[in-house]
Amino acid sequence: MERTLAIIKPDAVSKKNAGKIIDMIEENGFNIVRMQKLTMAEDHGKAFYAVHKERPFFGELVEFISSGPVVVMALEKDGAIKAWRDLMGATNPAEAADGTIRKLYAESIGKNAVHGSDAPETAAQEIRFFFHDL
Ligand code: ADP
Ligand code: MG
């Protein structure tokens, strides 16, 4: 059984879309191994997104992810990493397929409702970043 890290980002939490997104996660057969609501400090956001530190939108990304509460989850399912990215949809909601979370709830390429790990190594690292016992 594979695990991945999911984050419901501040835009979706503030618009009260977290429950609907969690419902989609459960309907799509994921097991929620851990779940926590928290607000990331700016330094925490910088560390989490360190891989993007050279990208032009890094400052904006860190400011956004630490702008309000998020819901962080460790999800489990066969092929969880790809399955969660498929359910999220494309990074840019304008390119996201119908029925995906980003198509339904993202407002822009930056404020795009959800995060998902992109590979087994990053999934393990990101899960440990929030859930030290996993
Ligand atoms: P994904 O979240 O789909 O894995 P990336 O890893 O490429 O996408 O980017 C991380 C996050 O950075 C995105 O989810 C989004 O919030 C933000 N981001 C990506 N591209 C842009 C952009 N061109 N302008 C502003 N923010 C962006
Ligand atoms: Mg990514």
Side-chain angles (χ1 to χ4, degrees):
M1 206 61 115
E2 189 173 69
R3 287 178 177 174
T4 193
L5 187 86
I7 304 178
I8 304 176
K9 293 183 179 181
D11 57 319
V13 173
S14 69
K15 286 190 272 189
K16 307 288 183 193
N17 288 327
K20 283 167 269 188
I21 292 169
I22 292 165
D23 201 29
M24 289 174 75
I25 288 170
E26 293 196 313
E27 282 182 349
N28 280 274
F30 293 90
N31 176 38
I32 301 172
V33 181
R34 292 282 190 286
M35 175 161 61
Q36 190 181 358
K37 186 173 181 180
L38 56 94
T39 302
M40 292 172 76
E42 209 167 297
D43 281 352
H44 207 211
K46 270 188 194 155
F48 181 74
Y49 277 128
V51 60
H52 296 305
K53 64 179 187 295
E54 306 302 335
R55 295 174 85 171
F57 54 81
F58 182 64
E60 183 188 326
L61 177 59
V62 169
E63 189 186 333
F64 165 60
I65 203 67
S66 56
S67 67
V70 297
V71 177
V72 185
M73 285 167 281
L75 303 180
E76 188 174 65
K77 179 180 171 153
D78 284 334
I81 295 169
K82 181 175 188 300
W84 172 235
R85 291 198 65 92
D86 287 348
L87 184 59
M88 290 200 301
T91 308
N92 184 350
E95 292 161 12
D98 284 347
T100 61
I101 293 169
R102 282 167 165 170
K103 177 74 172 196
L104 287 165
Y105 301 121
E107 57 184 72
S108 65
I109 191 167
K111 296 179 176 169
N112 59 2
V114 280
H115 167 85
S117 309
D118 59 10
E121 299 71 33
T122 47
Q125 188 187 328
E126 290 178 1
I127 288 169
R128 265 199 315 272
F129 187 88
F130 288 102
F131 304 109
H132 306 287
D133 60 319
L134 291 182

